[in-house]
Structures are given as C-alpha cells and as structure tokens.
C-alpha cells in the first residue's frame, strides 16, 4: 500500500495525481451537463392534464436536486482496476445499474475497460459511458469487500484523499500481487484520516469508509427483516441509513409504490441525521418518531414509570381486543325488511350465525361491521329467489342500506371510536376489570386508572403511552397502512406496545432494527432482540452484531466498558479499531467554573464539543456558560457555524456524537434515573459520545462500577 499527497498546484500531465484531478474535473463537467439536460426539459406538450404536469414537474425538480454538485463533497472517493472487465449483472434490482456499469468505450481517454471510479452518485458522459459509478452498484462492491485473501477480481484499489473539494492524495492497494495472501494489508492511512476527521454539524455519510461487515448489512436483501446489535461507535445508525439508500437503488420501483420510513427516538436525533440520505442522492425518505406515528390525540400528560410500563406491556393488546369486541351483541330480535308490499324476515338465529361467522374470520372490527349489512341483505335475497323473484346486486345494495338493516347493525355491531374505548378503560374501573381479568392484577389495574374522571376525549390529558394504546385500538378497527421498508433506530428503548405500533407499519414489508441492549434507558427497555422481533411481528428476523468501533477512541471505550458487566453482561465489548487512542482524563471539579474551564480547554481543538450533564444540572451549567461568555446550542441545533459547543441533557445524548465531550458528574447522571441499572445505562451512553477526547469532571464520588 502506498500513499501520496501533493501540492494542489499544477502538475505534469503524466503525474498520476494530475490525471486523477483531470478525471475529477471532467466528471464535474459531465455532472453539470446532466443537470443542465434535465433543467432544459420542456414538458408543456407531453402531459395530458395539469395534475400530470405537476407530478412530472416535481419529479424533474427532485432529479435536479439529486444531481447537485456539492463543492466540498468528493464526487468520487475510490477507484477499482479490475483484472478483467466485469460482466453485466442480472440480479433483481440491477436494471438501473446495467447501463451505468457497462465498461467505457475502447480508447476513452480517462478510463480503461476495467477501471471504475466509485462515488456517491452515477455520472456519465455525453455518450452515456460511465465516468463515476454509484457506490451501490454491484460493480462497486469489491471496493468495500475485496482483500488479498479474496481480491474479487481486483488488481488495484485506490482511495482518494480530499481537502475540502480538492483531490490532494491517493493511496493504492495491490490486491492481486504475488505477496502472501495470508498477510493482512497495512492499515489505510486515508481511511483512518476520514474516520477521525473532526465532526462539525449534522451527521455525515460514511460511504467512503464502509467496512466489510457493515457492507454485508447494507446490501442485505429487501425480503427479510434484519436486526443490528451494535455498541457505541460501531456505525449502526449510519449503516441503517446507507441500507435505505442501497434498497432504494436496488428496488426503486417497488419502494416508490410502497414507501420507506426512518424512525428515530426524538426530533433532535432526526435533525442530526437528516442530511445523510440527501447527501447520497435520496430526497424522498420520510423520517418520524414513534410519537409521530401514533399522533391520534394531542399528548399533554405524562405517566410515572410504573403506569407507563403497564401501558406499554404487550398484554394491553389483548385487553383492548376484549374491550372492543365486547361491543358486539348477539341478536335476539329478527330483522324485517319491507320492499313494496312484501315483508322479508331474517330470524334472530340466522343473524346469530352471520355474526358468528364474521367473528370466526378474525378480520378487523370495522371490516366485519361493513360486511354485516351485505350478509343480512344476501339472506334476504335468498328468500326473494326462493319466492320466484330475480333480484340483482342493486337490490342487495338497497336492502343493505335500508333503515331496518342499518338499525340492526347499529345494535349488533356498533361503531367504536378508538380514543373513547381507551378513555373508558382508563376511567371506568369495572370496565377495565372485566376485560383485564387474568391479564392484569388488581395493582396493575389501579396503576393505569386515572384518578379523576374525564368528560371527553378532547379534554383528556393523554400521555405518550396512551396514544400508543389508541393506535392499537385503531388498528383493531381498521388495518394500518403498511410500508415497504421501515428502519427503526435506537430500538432498545421501545416498549412492546411501541414495537407493535411500528410493526403495523410494515406488516407486508420488511424492517431494519438498530440498537444496543446496553444502551436501553427506559424501565421497559428491551431484554433480548428475539423478544423485540416477536413484538414487531417479525420473529423470523436475523440478528447481526457489529463489534468493531470506528468512532469512540480506545481509552474512552475501555473506560466505559467497565459498566458492561453490570448493565448487559452477555454483550461483547466494542473493540476500537482507531489508531489514535484519543484524549481521556478524569478530573475533580470543585464548581461549575471548573466544568466551564474544561469546555474552554476542549474548544481550543478543531471540531465540535459537547457538554453532557444530568438533566437537573443543565440550568446551572447553562448559567455558568453564559456568565463566562461562551455561546452554546441545544441538541438538534448543531450547524457548521462558529458555535461549536452543545449543552446536552443526558436524556437526549443517545445517538449524538461530538469530537470532544465534557461529562459532568457521572453520579448525578445515574441518580437522575428511576433505578441504578437504568442510570448506569444512561451513563454508558453519555460516556461514549466522544470521537476524539473526553474529560470526566466530578465533585461527588464516581459510581463504584467505574472505579472497579
């Protein structure tokens, strides 16, 4: 492996770096021409109506945005020289890539038939020949997976180094040379530099540094559900987002019809990751929290931990089902339909058979209610035919809409509002006791009952857990729309009922579940991924584990891993693969002034900084920072502007990362949670947010688990 860096000034044309720069310039020109071609499209005479024109115009606008050339983002980051030109790929989802991956024309001045430049998006010249290959194309896969043991037909893999948008270095790996294939190649310097590059602003993509074990997850098929267990710094969030980008590339038409959704733990987290997919050219993926998905009512209340735990338990699904179907009443009176001079009578026993058949089919409550009038009307039509009449479908529809049938359906199978159903369970002790019998004990029932009566759904102070119950009830009544693929991040904090809410959004699709059991910080945190996948409705899901740490320095992750035996004894500790051990120090702090001084010290370095503290201590620290004249941001407000310090409540730290972190009072972080185990998990999260350096400040004694 060789690395070469050069002055970005003019160089001889026979210099390899000069040739690569020439290809970069030509590729940028080609991309600009592609964008101009789209901008020049005239659609005035190709659409039948204004609706089609609006849709087409929006698609063109999205295409123009996807072809944007970001000056500080490398257009390509690698090159593959195949020993032999690869054949056309014929696998599912490769239709779009067939044309893109074709070898360039013989004699083309910047490529040979087996040479491919790998980048974030496809770029072709005026003749349609590829100048940059999309990283998701099958021909690009060896860039991430080829090795001396398995070169995958690659003679040379070249990585490029950039300063801003300028190509300033390259690094070669000769994978098919006569060297002993059992000897691992030296660590890529450019790869290490990219991994350790300072983080400022929102999360960025990792497309240039995806590792083989990550690439296997990214390129896994769409058909099955995948669960990724990954400790801090293993890149599970980035892997999940790049997996979305890959699936949209390989199954564009299918997912365009069925939809794709990324679910995060909170708005701050979603804001932090929102630029990753657009940077990869994907502009249409929706992002939401679980609370967004179940927003049937306005959430204005909160639950204590005990109530939220019971409401989030999977047993509540059966309580709701029992309560809903208790509204179905077996008929005791016949239905009499008058048509002209004739009266048609459907006896009670026949109605009871119809109701029983619908209950046995186990279809949605609302669907069964809609089917019942037609079942009754059909029974009337059978009688008409026996009497010698010849009724048709219009007659059956008329009978189904008759006042007698409507009245019978209302009495037998009444309409139920999901919010009113949940409100009744939470406010009427007898109603709850009847339908929770054998599921919830008396103490659990008392825990979730509201202390004060509520007049209406609108006046109720619903909690987040209540909203999930309403969503469950709504799905029992009417099936929830299913998407093609859902990515669920920080999944370890979801309750069983929240998993069910997410699972309803992908019943006919698949899911990618991302999380770390050691970072579960809710009282109902996931105990095992098998249990979580069962609640999600995907028990066949495959669990993969990421153990190589690319973000957290060795000294920091080693210190934080002291907590693992106490919070997740079965998990493998993350092994940092970073060459830079990072900066790590534990120091005594007599007051908030010492904490501020630590922040000032870290801000002298390049990159972002975070001050993480127990939620209760944030106001005092904010006041101390303001008194010192230090500006700071709240989580989710991070930009590339001059303000590089973020003040982070420990409850919002999950999923975020900063170059340098000051962690204030570890024991206060532990004490801020309902129990010690949850507190230690919250501390584990806070300790592992640093990319380059961590200072732990404390006046109180450190938790005993950190001093063992």
């Amino acid at each position: 492996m060789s690395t070469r860096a050069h002055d970005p000034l003019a160089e001889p044309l026979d210099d390899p770096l000069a040739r690569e720069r020439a290809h970069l310039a030509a590729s940028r020109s080609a991309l600009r021409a592609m964008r101009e071609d789209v901008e020049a499209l005239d659609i005035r005479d190709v659409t039948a109506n204004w609706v089609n024109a609006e849709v087409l115009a929006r698609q063109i606008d999205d295409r123009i945005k996807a072809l944007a050339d970001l000056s500080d983002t490398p257009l390509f980051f690698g090159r593959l020289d195949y020993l032999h030109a690869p054949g056309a790929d014929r696998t599912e989802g490769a239709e779009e890539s067939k044309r893109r991956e074709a070898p360039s024309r013989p004699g083309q001045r910047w490529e040979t038939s087996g040479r491919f430049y790998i980048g974030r998006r496809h770029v072709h010249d005026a003749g349609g020949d590829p100048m940059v290959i999309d990283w998701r194309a099958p021909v690009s896969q060896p860039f991430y997976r080829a090795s001396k043991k398995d070169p995958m037909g690659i003679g040379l893999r070249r990585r490029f180094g950039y300063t801003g948008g300028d190509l300033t270095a390259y690094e070669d790996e000769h994978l098919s040379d006569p060297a002993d294939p059992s000897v691992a190649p030296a660590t890529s310097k450019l790869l290490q530099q990219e991994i350790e590059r300072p983080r400022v602003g929102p999360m960025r993509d990792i497309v240039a540094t995806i590792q083989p074990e990550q690439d296997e997850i990214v390129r896994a098929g769409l058909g099955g559900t995948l669960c990724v267990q990954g400790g801090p710094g293993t890149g599970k969030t980035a892997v999940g987002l790049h997996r979305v980008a890959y699936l949209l590339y390989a199954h564009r038409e299918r997912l365009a019809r069925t939809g794709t959704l990324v679910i995060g733990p909170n708005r701050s987290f979603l804001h932090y990751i929102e630029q990753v997919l657009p940077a990869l050219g994907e502009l249409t993926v929706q992002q939401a929290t679980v609370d967004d998905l179940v927003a049937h009512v306005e959430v204005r209340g909160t639950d204590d931990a005990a109530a939220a735990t019971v409401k989030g338990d999977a047993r509540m699904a059966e309580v709701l089902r029992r309560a809903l179907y208790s509204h179905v009443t077996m008929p005791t009176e016949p239905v009499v339909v008058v048509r002209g001079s004739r009266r048609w009578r459907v006896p009670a026993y026949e109605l009871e058979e119809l109701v029983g058949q619908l209950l046995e089919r186990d279809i949605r409550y609302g669907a069964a209610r809609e089917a019942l009038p037609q079942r009754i009307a059909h029974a009337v039509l059978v009688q008409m035919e026996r009497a010698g009449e010849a009724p048709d479908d219009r007659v059956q529809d008329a009978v189904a809409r008759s006042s007698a049938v409507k009245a019978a359906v209302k009495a037998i199978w009444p309409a139920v509002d999901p919010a009113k159903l949940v409100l009744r369970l939470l406010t009427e002790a007898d109603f709850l006791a009847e339908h929770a019998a054998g599921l919830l004990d008396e103490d659990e029932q008392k825990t979730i009952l509201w202390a004060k009566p509520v007049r209406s759904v609108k006046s109720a102070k619903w909690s987040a857990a209540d909203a999930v119950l309403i969503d469950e009830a709504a799905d029992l009544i009417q099936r929830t729309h299913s998407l093609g693929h859902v990515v669920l991040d920080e999944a370890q904090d979801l309750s069983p009922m929240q998993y069910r809410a997410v699972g309803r959004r992908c019943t006919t699709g698949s899911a990618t579940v991302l999380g770390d059991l050691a970072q579960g910080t809710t009282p109902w945190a996931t105990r095992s991924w098998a249990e979580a996948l069962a609640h999600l409705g995907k028990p066949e899901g495959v669990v993969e584990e990421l153990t190589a740490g690319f973000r957290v320095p060795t000294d920091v992750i080693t210190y934080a891993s002291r907590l693992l035996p106490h919070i997740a004894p079965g998990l493998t500790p993350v092994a940092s693969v970073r060459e830079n051990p990072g900066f790590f120090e534990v120091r005594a702090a007599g007051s908030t002034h010492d904490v501020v001084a630590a922040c000032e010290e870290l801000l002298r370095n390049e990159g972002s900084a975070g001050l993480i503290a127990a939620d209760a201590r944030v106001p005092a620290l904010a006041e101390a920072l303001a008194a010192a004249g230090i500006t700071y941001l709240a989580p989710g407000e991070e930009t590339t502007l001059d303000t590089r310090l973020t003040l982070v409540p420990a409850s919002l730290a999950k999923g975020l990362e900063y170059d340098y972190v000051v962690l204030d009072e570890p024991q206060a972080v532990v004490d801020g949670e309902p129990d010690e185990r949850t507190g230690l998990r919250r501390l584990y999260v806070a300790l592992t947010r640093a990319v380059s350096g961590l200072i732990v400040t404390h006046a109180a004694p450190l938790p005993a688990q950190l001093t063992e």
Side-chain angles (χ1 to χ4, degrees), residues 368-406:
R369 186 176 186 276
E370 292 172 1
L372 183 58
Q374 290 291 335
R375 295 290 185 97
I376 297 173
H378 179 72
V380 173
L381 259 66
V382 170
Q383 294 184 30
M384 289 181 176
E385 291 171 346
R386 288 173 180 169
E389 297 189 15
D392 56 19
D393 290 344
R394 290 175 296 176
V395 174
Q396 180 168 327
D397 289 340
V399 172
R401 294 194 302 269
S402 67
S403 58
V405 172
K406 285 183 177 179

Side-chain angles (χ1 to χ4, degrees), residues 591-597 600 611 617-632 647:
S591 66
T592 56
H593 297 294
D594 295 327
V595 180
V596 171
E600 291 176 323
L611 170 55
R617 287 184 56 81
V618 167
L621 292 171
E623 185 178 339
L625 289 171
I630 300 176
T631 57
Y632 61 89
L647 178 56

Side-chain angles (χ1 to χ4, degrees), residues 243-393:
R243 175 161 166 72
V244 172
Y246 171 77
L247 292 176
L248 287 170
Y249 176 88
H251 307 277
R252 178 78 61 187
E253 293 185 3
R254 177 177 172 182
L255 290 178
R257 294 192 306 269
T258 56
T260 308
L261 176 67
V262 174
I263 302 174
N266 52 58
R267 280 283 153 198
S268 297
F269 178 85
L270 291 178
H271 181 76
Y272 178 65
I273 68 171
E274 66 183 358
Q275 295 303 317
V276 174
L277 287 170
L280 298 173
E282 301 299 341
L283 307 172
T284 60
V285 179
Q286 299 297 310
Q287 298 182 351
T289 65
V290 174
D291 290 343
D292 294 331
L293 300 182
V294 300
H296 302 281
V297 293
E298 181 182 0
V299 174
R300 298 183 296 145
T302 57
D303 288 314
D304 59 30
T309 301
V310 176
K311 290 178 181 179
D313 194 288
R315 293 172 294 169
M316 288 300 300
E318 178 60 19
V319 174
L320 287 164
R321 193 195 68 79
R322 291 180 183 179
L324 174 63
Y325 281 91
S326 71
H327 291 78
V328 178
T329 304
M330 286 299 178
T332 57
E333 299 291 333
V335 172
V336 179
V337 177
V338 178
R339 285 190 60 81
S341 61
R342 302 294 299 270
R343 294 165 61 88
W344 306 97
R345 183 175 181 273
V346 181
Y349 73 85
E350 189 171 348
L351 293 173
E352 186 174 342
E353 288 180 1
L354 296 178
V355 173
Q357 290 170 3
L358 288 172
L359 289 173
E360 288 176 1
R361 288 186 60 191
D362 196 29
I363 60 178
R364 293 296 194 280
Y365 183 94
R369 186 176 186 276
E370 292 172 1
L372 183 58
Q374 290 291 335
R375 295 290 185 97
I376 297 173
H378 179 72
V380 173
L381 259 66
V382 170
Q383 294 184 30
M384 289 181 176
E385 291 171 346
R386 288 173 180 169
E389 297 189 15
D392 56 19
D393 290 344

Side-chain angles (χ1 to χ4, degrees), residues 2-87:
S2 59
T3 304
R4 185 176 181 185
H6 296 264
D7 190 310
L9 299 177
E11 297 162 2
L13 290 178
D14 62 348
D15 185 284
L17 190 61
R19 291 199 299 270
E20 301 295 16
R21 285 173 168 165
H23 183 74
L24 176 61
S27 299
R28 289 195 182 281
S29 296
L31 180 60
R32 182 168 58 252
M34 291 171 61
R35 190 169 61 253
E36 290 171 350
D37 287 345
V38 178
E39 292 171 340
L41 289 174
D42 187 350
I43 63 172
R44 288 175 294 181
D45 298 325
V46 298
T47 54
N49 53 56
W50 69 270
V51 175
N52 290 341
E54 285 289 327
V55 172
L56 185 55
R58 191 178 303 113
Q59 291 174 342
I60 290 174
D61 186 57
D62 288 343
R63 179 62 175 162
I64 292 171
K65 291 177 181 177
L67 291 172
D69 184 8
L70 306 178
S71 60
D72 59 346
T73 301
L75 193 56
F76 56 79
F77 46 80
R79 194 184 94 187
L80 292 176
D81 289 5
Y82 276 82
L83 295 173
H84 306 285

